Amino acid sequence: QGLRAAWLHESSFRLEVYLLVVLAPLALWLGQSPVERALMIGSMLLVLAMELANSAIEAVIERYGAEFHELAGRAKDMGSAAVFVLMMNVLVCWALVLAPRIF
């Protein structure tokens, strides 16, 4: 139910799934070893997992009211920051795997 709810209500989750669908086959093709493939695909799966957690945080905060509270804003910002950090992890993993072949 959680995956379905995220798909229906979270546009960022849908976008990240679309990216996974496009990039996972590319990772399977470009990765030269099972470890490289696991790093490239696994890093993208971590983004999806954190996006689910971030959406859960936001849903709980919205459940308790729409009025502004500093801690609620901080919690939402931290969840979004965690997603961003994992997106940077995807870039780093892909760069470290692919850069030696390019340069």
Side-chain angles (χ1 to χ4, degrees):
Q1 290 177 343
L3 289 172
R4 185 174 189 274
W7 181 263
L8 292 174
H9 302 288
E10 299 294 332
S11 61
S12 56
F13 181 78
R14 286 191 301 273
L15 176 62
E16 290 157 358
V17 169
Y18 294 142
L19 287 171
L20 177 69
V21 167
V22 170
L23 293 177
L26 190 62
L28 291 173
W29 181 58
L30 293 175
Q32 292 182 343
S33 71
V35 172
E36 288 181 352
R37 293 179 188 122
L39 283 171
M40 294 168 80
I41 294 171
S43 64
M44 292 185 295
L45 291 173
L46 286 173
V47 172
L48 287 178
M50 191 61 231
E51 187 64 54
L52 290 169
N54 184 42
S55 297
I57 291 167
E58 290 180 355
V60 168
I61 290 170
E62 292 301 319
R63 160 70 173 87
Y64 285 102
E67 71 276 354
F68 177 79
H69 191 282
E70 180 184 344
L71 292 177
R74 191 182 312 163
K76 285 180 161 187
D77 290 344
M78 288 178 174
S80 296
V83 173
F84 175 77
V85 167
L86 286 174
M87 287 179 176
M88 294 303 101
N89 181 60
V90 170
L91 293 176
V92 169
C93 287
W94 280 66
L96 290 174
V97 167
L98 299 177
R101 293 180 213 149
I102 297 171
F103 301 109

